[in-house]
Amino acid sequence: MNRKDLHQSARGTLYVVPTPIGNLEDITLRALRVLKEVHFIAAEDTRHTKKLLNHFDIHPTEFFSYREQNSREAGAKVRALLEQGRSGAVVSDAGMPAISDPGRQVIADLVELGFPFVVLPGPSALLTALVGSGLATEAFSFHGFLDRQTKGRRTTLELLKMRRETLVFFESPHRIEKSLEDMHAVFGDRQVVVARELTKVHEHYVRGRLSEWSALLPPEAMRGEMVVLIEGMTAAPEYPETADAGLLEGESVAQHVRRLMDEGLDKKEAMRAVAKARSITRRAVYQSLLLQE
Ligand code: SAM
């Protein structure tokens, strides 16, 4: 071992430890062992985590807060303790730290400094909701909480409108109504799943279409914690049910587009439907139209 390795091995390790999102039985055996063995625990809200630690009879030597608001000072404290050879854990109130929760900055700092850290797998509302939604899991993107302001929210949704993967959002009961309204306005009538109170007694998946959201989610259902999942663009109906995008014998690309427009689609929708029906690119449809116009 050279001097550098000797120095590095003298440092403590930081463990990123996910905690239950409702059901205490979801804590892993490894998480419990790590929380018992480490010297310090940095928690988003010490009062909240104290209840979890008491439940499992865990009493760290040092226990302090690590939140977005104090991440600079708390991060410096974490690094100083690691430098002294103390190992520790960072936890958030529930689920995986750094996923819409504090923790990201301390990890980025450790990566930059080359300090050792270990991320434990475990509970997170994101993956639990995605799998339970029944929507496509091959590709998905996560967007955390949408902006509180309508303008910011709509801008984000507009940017996501053409994405083909399943879209996942965290949401609060205070803003779910406005978010679903905006999603309907921007995305049209896609499939939506609202995953509520996961792992808790009242766990419930609400499934339907964005046009039905007010019936699916009456005011009394807009409580508790929730994840909203929307199907990606390709899976959504791209043209009204009445329009038959199927191919007619001898029909040119331009005639095909015109027929769908006569059936009520706008030009963009018709071009998209023709491209799909003929398994050609939208650019090819566009070029055919240019040639035949
Ligand atoms: N880092 C956490 C995780 O990995 O699950 C998420 C923290 S974020 C501050 C809290 C949000 O996660 C909630 O507003 C809700 O959208 C979602 N969430 C957390 N627990 C949940 C649960 N039991 N059921 C449904 N959604 C949950």
Side-chain angles (χ1 to χ4, degrees), residues 18-23 44 92-102 122-129 142 144-145 169-173 175 194-200 203-204 224-228:
T19 52
I21 58 170
N23 189 328
E44 177 181 7
S92 62
D93 285 354
M96 184 61 94
I99 301 296
S100 294
D101 263 348
S124 174
L126 162 59
L127 288 185
T128 311
F142 170 62
F145 290 98
F169 305 88
F170 283 163
E171 198 41 276
S172 98
R175 285 188 294 276
V194 178
R196 292 181 53 221
E197 297 287 83
L198 295 171
T199 78
K200 303 182 191 177
E203 169 171 315
H204 183 50
E225 303 208 82
M226 49 188 80
V227 182
V228 179

